[in-house]
Amino acid sequence: MEKKVELTKNQLARLPQYLAFFKKCVDTGLKYINASIISTALSLSEEQVRKDIQVISSVSGVPNRGREIKKLIADIERVLGFNNTNNAVIVGCGHLGLALLKYDGFNDYGIEIVGGFDNDPNVIGKEFGNKKIYDIHRMLGKIKELNALIGIVTVPSEVAQKITDNLISCGVEAIWNFSGIKLKVPSNIIVSDVNMAISLSELSHKLYMQKIKENNNGK
Amino acid sequence: MEKKVELTKNQLARLPQYLAFFKKCVDTGLKYINASIISTALSLSEEQVRKDIQVISSVSGVPNRGREIKKLIADIERVLGFNNTNNAVIVGCGHLGLALLKYDGFNDYGIEIVGGFDNDPNVIGKEFGNKKIYDIHRMLGKIKELNALIGIVTVPSEVAQKITDNLISCGVEAIWNFSGIKLKVPSNIIVSDVNMAISLSELSHKLYMQKIKENNNGK
């Protein structure tokens, strides 16, 4: 039975940092490492590193030596899904879709965007690196061929539900939803809604709070 | 002295929903409303509504009647900064920058993107609604003219620090950072980093956990 590892958002965010560091350590010839050494190198608290390693590592440490770095690397890659199917497709290759298609930061997290779909003949057939944009009417065959379980919905809100239904019938099990509408999906489908406005409004609210503080201080 | 209102992320996210509802209520002729009535209309818990109103409202309710809707609307608009300067400019009008420039969901949160900057002659001068893209070398004059205190950084990582320094010298006080690098800013400048990969990796991780669960259940 595979170990079930439930990570917090912050832990997930730190894993690529550990991974890059451990790979550099292996290159230098290092074989073992402990939480204290990691914490000073990465400017994290020792307690935090200890907890992170505990949750991802499948093996115990060796006294006075710590953990085998190669095993830590394998653990992180497993948890990040490097050995699994983390292929994603984008439906809707407007500005946002293309920005995501061209963004190269997903690979650090073991996710690969393997292609896009659109209905615009001017966009269909374009390639970015090894990522191609396909005709939206070819979703059914292509998504299975590309082995994608994640669908990124960047189409206009009025067609988002229909596209989502199509994605699910093509075998997609997780939806990253930029459409702004609440999608209706079966209970076994995972949906994560992205609302860019909320993130910007948080920043704006912080600025507003700072202004009030300044005004109240008679500045 | 203006009342200092510190909102949680979830509270901020609900405010546009209240605002739209209250405006509809006013249109029908309603003058007063209470938390219980709001909670049933918006499918929120009464306790949550009560807390939200407490934190935003500057006036008390009237027994058996509740709060004056027009005052609630004014309170939300004030908190969301509709009466303040919440103008933002985008620097870097590639796919991501243009996607944000064209996105119309920010207005619900009292934020207005008033223009963009780029160094590409093919992009400079383009207009989307009333939002124009200006030459990046004209930032100093234009940002003051546009009265923008928020800068959205969607330039490549290698120039992000330089652009941020420029934005700050143009009077920008809050930075929404999509560049992927850690920006160095003076302590009075607010920075919010956006890492799209973390959000997608959360979704991918949930999918991974679901797969393990299915496998362990012998599916």
Side-chain angles (χ1 to χ4, degrees):
Chain A
M1 190 186 270
E2 199 170 349
K3 199 186 161 192
K4 199 179 160 179
V5 191
E6 198 96 47
L7 294 165
T8 66
K9 185 178 177 170
N10 288 336
Q11 283 180 317
L12 257 178
R14 280 193 293 274
L15 293 191
Q17 195 188 354
Y18 286 126
L19 190 60
F21 171 65
F22 292 158
K23 284 182 173 171
K24 270 189 254 167
C25 290
V26 167
D27 288 342
T28 66
L30 274 168
K31 291 200 171 49
Y32 284 83
I33 201 158
N34 68 36
S36 176
I37 294 169
I38 299 169
S39 73
T40 55
L42 299 179
S43 305
L44 297 166
S45 83
E46 194 174 327
E47 197 198 338
Q48 194 167 60
V49 173
R50 217 173 277 283
K51 275 188 194 159
D52 289 345
I53 288 182
Q54 216 156 39
V55 81
I56 57 161
S57 183
S58 55
V59 290
S60 314
V62 178
N64 291 327
R65 205 184 258 179
R67 280 179 161 87
E68 204 177 329
I69 301 175
K70 281 194 177 164
K71 285 192 178 153
L72 286 172
I73 290 175
D75 283 330
I76 294 176
E77 290 192 335
R78 180 180 47 77
V79 170
L80 282 177
F82 278 50
N83 316 320
N84 298 282
T85 336
N86 267 325
N87 290 352
V89 290
I90 293 176
V91 191
C93 295
H95 288 299
L96 180 59
L98 287 182
L100 294 171
L101 195 74
K102 293 168 93 178
Y103 180 63
D104 57 6
F106 295 124
N107 288 33
D108 296 343
Y109 290 82
I111 298 158
E112 197 171 355
I113 296 182
V114 289
F117 294 94
D118 207 285
N119 62 358
D120 179 355
N122 295 317
V123 175
I124 295 166
K126 283 200 177 172
E127 268 181 77
F128 299 92
N130 52 354
K131 299 160 194 169
K132 202 170 168 178
I133 299 173
Y134 302 98
D135 188 333
I136 205 160
H137 299 102
R138 291 181 58 206
M139 269 170 57
L140 187 58
K142 266 293 157 200
I143 286 179
K144 287 199 198 302
E145 191 186 314
L146 294 167
N147 198 18
L149 292 180
I150 301 173
I152 304 174
V153 176
T154 48
V155 294
S157 56
E158 56 273 21
V159 292
Q161 183 62 53
K162 188 171 159 271
I163 290 295
T164 300
D165 297 343
N166 287 351
L167 279 169
I168 293 167
S169 68
C170 294
V172 160
E173 300 181 24
I175 305 274
W176 204 27
N177 173 29
F178 285 82
S179 75
I181 66 158
K182 194 88 203 139
L183 298 171
K184 291 181 198 79
V185 298
S187 64
N188 62 324
I189 303 296
I190 303 162
V191 176
S192 170
D193 297 312
V194 184
N195 183 335
M196 298 303 285
I198 293 176
S199 166
L200 182 53
S201 75
E202 279 184 284
L203 180 70
S204 152
H205 184 63
K206 276 184 202 159
L207 180 63
Y208 167 71
M209 297 309 296
Q210 183 168 300
K211 286 279 164 209
I212 291 180
K213 218 168 137 193
E214 281 173 13
N215 289 340
N216 290 347
N217 289 343
K219 261 202 210 171
Chain B
M1 193 186 269
E2 200 169 348
K3 198 184 163 193
K4 199 179 162 180
V5 190
E6 198 97 44
L7 295 163
T8 67
K9 185 177 175 167
N10 288 335
Q11 284 180 318
L12 257 177
R14 280 192 294 274
L15 294 192
Q17 196 188 352
Y18 288 125
L19 190 59
F21 171 64
F22 292 156
K23 284 181 174 171
K24 270 188 255 166
C25 291
V26 167
D27 287 344
T28 66
L30 275 168
K31 291 201 172 48
Y32 284 81
I33 202 159
N34 68 36
S36 178
I37 295 169
I38 299 170
S39 73
T40 55
L42 298 178
S43 303
L44 296 167
S45 84
E46 193 175 327
E47 196 199 340
Q48 194 167 60
V49 172
R50 217 172 277 285
K51 273 188 196 162
D52 290 346
I53 288 182
Q54 215 156 39
V55 80
I56 56 161
S57 183
S58 55
V59 289
S60 314
V62 179
N64 290 326
R65 203 186 259 181
R67 279 179 161 85
E68 203 179 328
I69 302 176
K70 282 197 175 160
K71 283 194 180 151
L72 286 171
I73 291 176
D75 282 331
I76 295 177
E77 291 192 335
R78 180 180 46 80
V79 170
L80 282 177
F82 278 50
N83 315 321
N84 297 282
T85 335
N86 267 326
N87 290 354
V89 291
I90 294 176
V91 191
C93 295
H95 288 300
L96 178 60
L98 286 182
L100 295 172
L101 195 73
K102 292 168 91 178
Y103 181 64
D104 57 6
F106 294 124
N107 287 32
D108 295 343
Y109 291 83
I111 298 160
E112 196 172 354
I113 296 183
V114 289
F117 294 93
D118 207 284
N119 62 0
D120 179 355
N122 295 316
V123 176
I124 295 168
K126 283 200 177 171
E127 268 181 78
F128 301 92
N130 53 352
K131 301 161 192 171
K132 201 169 171 181
I133 299 174
Y134 302 97
D135 188 331
I136 204 161
H137 299 103
R138 290 180 57 204
M139 269 168 59
L140 187 56
K142 266 293 158 199
I143 287 179
K144 287 199 197 301
E145 191 184 315
L146 294 166
N147 198 16
L149 291 180
I150 301 174
I152 305 175
V153 175
T154 48
V155 293
S157 55
E158 56 273 22
V159 292
Q161 183 61 54
K162 190 172 158 269
I163 289 297
T164 301
D165 297 343
N166 286 351
L167 279 168
I168 295 168
S169 68
C170 294
V172 159
E173 299 182 23
I175 305 274
W176 205 26
N177 173 30
F178 285 82
S179 74
I181 67 159
K182 195 89 204 137
L183 298 171
K184 290 181 199 83
V185 298
S187 64
N188 61 321
I189 304 296
I190 303 162
V191 176
S192 170
D193 298 312
V194 184
N195 183 335
M196 299 303 285
I198 293 177
S199 166
L200 182 52
S201 75
E202 278 184 287
L203 180 69
S204 153
H205 184 63
K206 276 185 203 157
L207 180 62
Y208 167 73
M209 297 309 297
Q210 183 167 300
K211 287 278 161 207
I212 290 179
K213 218 167 137 192
E214 281 174 14
N215 289 339
N216 289 346
N217 289 345
K219 262 203 208 168

